[in-house]
Amino acid sequence: VGNRSIVTEFTLNAFPVLLEIRIFLFVVLLLTYTLTATGNIMIISLIWTVSHLQTPMYFFLSNLSFLDILYTTVVSPKLLACLLREEKTISFAGCITQTYFYFFLGTVEFILLAIMSFDRYVAICNPLRYTLIMNSRVSLLLVLGCWGGACLSVMTPTIIVTRLPYCRKEINHFFCDIAPLLQVACIDTRPIEKINFFLSALVILSSLAFTAGSYSYIISTILRIPSVQGRQKAFSTCASHITLVSIAYGTNIFVYVRPSQKFSLDFDKVAAVLITVVVPLLNPFIYSLRNEKVKEGLREKMNRFVSLTLRKT
Ligand SMILES: *[C@@H]1O[C@H](CO)[C@@H](O)[C@H](O)[C@H]1NC(C)=O
């Protein structure tokens, strides 16, 4: 298709012009990125070292933290570099790689959230058989299916985008993504936009339906628990997950599930940056602040750390 050799690199053209604003954004973003990486690495190492956190639910959470680190790493370093330097070019290969991983990891996130809701469903609606159903083999299979399925399903749209003819190199966005790339292609991209819309809607809405279905069973089961204490205890095991789900769907649905994939508004660009930079930061905090077991594990580690340092001095 067409003459791809015209464009060998793209420029990311959404950055503010004023140096002061760029430096300010650089500092904020660098802090956010560092915090995100630290917070998520902390959650992962906590889950892998504290014995009472070694259950499927926390392994899924560890996967989510790992995903969050990758997700911001796909976007943040390039974003930081572009904010500081005048030069805002990204190579064709780099751009396609970023597009692929952004789409891939976003897809993994939704499937993973759905798997986590299924895990909560089994734990609350079928507690006696939980260890039987959610054994380590099943949870490993679910996770592998999630990463593998996402990896394959975003292959086609990415390959299509790779083979398009491009006539302009100015991308009106902070990072490479399918929608802004389609805007600079020379051909009519409406059919591709339709495929893309269909895929995004399929992933986001079907995982949303699955999650909502699990939660309707969970809530009806919780409401049938006679004691208030029992109800609270059951609810507390899924409170952090509900928060994550609301944030993920609340932010993504408006940007990605709509027929026209054109990024026309500045709002979309800012929303996309919030999704990639701020949401991965929130996850570890939501879990460490709202989940008793994680808090307990954290306290345990802190105590050991403090007593070790005291002994040394
Ligand atoms: C993801 O979850 C699976 C299944 O529970 C687990 O075996 C794997 O170690 C997890 N990966 C990470 C990075 O936590």
Side-chain angles (χ1 to χ4, degrees):
V1 183
N3 194 351
R4 219 184 335 127
S5 61
I6 312 172
V7 170
T8 55
E9 58 178 25
F10 293 103
T11 52
L12 298 166
N13 260 7
F15 292 95
V17 196
L18 273 181
L19 185 65
E20 287 83 355
I21 298 182
R22 298 223 308 255
I23 290 177
F24 171 74
L25 288 177
F26 177 86
V27 173
V28 173
L29 208 72
L30 186 64
L31 274 177
T32 319
Y33 184 51
T34 319
L35 261 179
T36 305
T38 325
N40 282 300
I41 288 173
M42 241 171 67
I43 290 279
I44 294 176
S45 47
L46 207 61
I47 289 171
W48 283 91
T49 53
V50 175
S51 57
H52 70 250
L53 294 182
Q54 278 164 13
T55 66
M57 173 180 160
Y58 293 101
F59 282 134
F60 294 143
L61 176 61
S62 161
N63 274 263
L64 193 67
S65 281
F66 180 59
L67 173 74
D68 280 338
I69 296 174
L70 295 183
Y71 201 47
T72 48
T73 304
V74 167
V75 170
S76 295
K78 186 72 196 168
L79 199 57
L80 285 168
C82 287
L83 277 169
L84 268 203
R85 289 182 307 170
E86 282 298 318
E87 182 144 307
K88 290 166 287 185
T89 57
I90 181 165
S91 69
F92 188 83
C95 190
I96 294 294
T97 311
Q98 201 175 40
T99 305
Y100 177 77
F101 278 99
Y102 183 70
F103 201 6
F104 163 50
L105 297 170
T107 307
V108 172
E109 169 157 17
F110 288 108
I111 306 177
L112 204 54
L113 285 174
I115 293 178
M116 290 168 90
S117 76
F118 176 66
D119 168 78
R120 290 299 83 209
Y121 160 75
V122 178
I124 290 173
C125 303
N126 231 331
L128 296 180
R129 282 195 289 165
Y130 179 74
T131 45
L132 204 69
I133 300 174
M134 266 294 162
N135 58 32
S136 56
R137 215 180 107 234
V138 169
S139 54
L140 185 63
L141 277 181
L142 285 174
V143 165
L144 285 181
C146 164
W147 288 85
C151 169
L152 292 180
S153 71
V154 302
M155 208 78 105
T156 314
T158 318
I159 290 175
I160 293 176
V161 165
T162 311
R163 306 188 68 85
L164 286 179
Y166 293 100
C167 328
R168 281 176 293 145
K169 46 186 287 196
E170 291 90 22
I171 293 177
N172 183 21
H173 198 26
F174 298 100
F175 54 87
C176 289
D177 190 8
I178 296 209
L181 267 177
L182 291 182
Q183 273 187 318
V184 295
C186 344
I187 56 163
D188 178 17
T189 56
R190 269 172 295 179
I192 306 168
E193 279 176 46
K194 286 213 183 78
I195 298 177
N196 200 25
F197 167 67
F198 177 74
L199 260 183
S200 310
L202 185 73
V203 169
I204 296 185
L205 297 181
S206 61
S207 67
L208 176 62
F210 189 86
T211 306
S214 305
Y215 268 104
S216 66
Y217 280 111
I218 291 175
I219 288 168
S220 72
T221 306
I222 289 182
L223 289 179
R224 269 186 275 129
I225 296 175
S227 74
V228 178
Q229 236 175 0
R231 250 177 275 164
Q232 269 170 355
K233 187 159 171 276
F235 182 74
S236 73
T237 64
C238 47
S240 338
H241 182 252
I242 291 186
T243 317
L244 287 193
V245 166
S246 325
I247 293 174
Y249 289 103
T251 47
N252 277 285
I253 273 186
F254 299 108
V255 179
Y256 291 104
V257 185
R258 57 181 187 202
S260 171
Q261 295 278 307
K262 297 256 143 112
F263 269 62
S264 46
L265 299 167
D266 284 339
F267 168 79
D268 291 338
K269 286 182 251 167
V270 176
V273 170
L274 284 184
I275 289 171
T276 40
V277 173
V278 181
V279 174
L281 170 70
L282 293 180
N283 292 352
F285 287 100
I286 288 169
Y287 264 92
S288 46
L289 295 180
R290 295 201 59 169
N291 185 299
E292 278 310 319
K293 284 204 165 160
V294 174
K295 271 199 255 181
E296 208 177 288
L298 204 59
R299 241 174 275 140
E300 223 171 80
K301 287 273 149 193
M302 285 294 217
N303 286 345
R304 202 169 308 155
F305 178 74
V306 170
S307 62
L308 268 181
T309 38
L310 284 183
R311 212 179 304 155
K312 271 187 197 141
T313 52

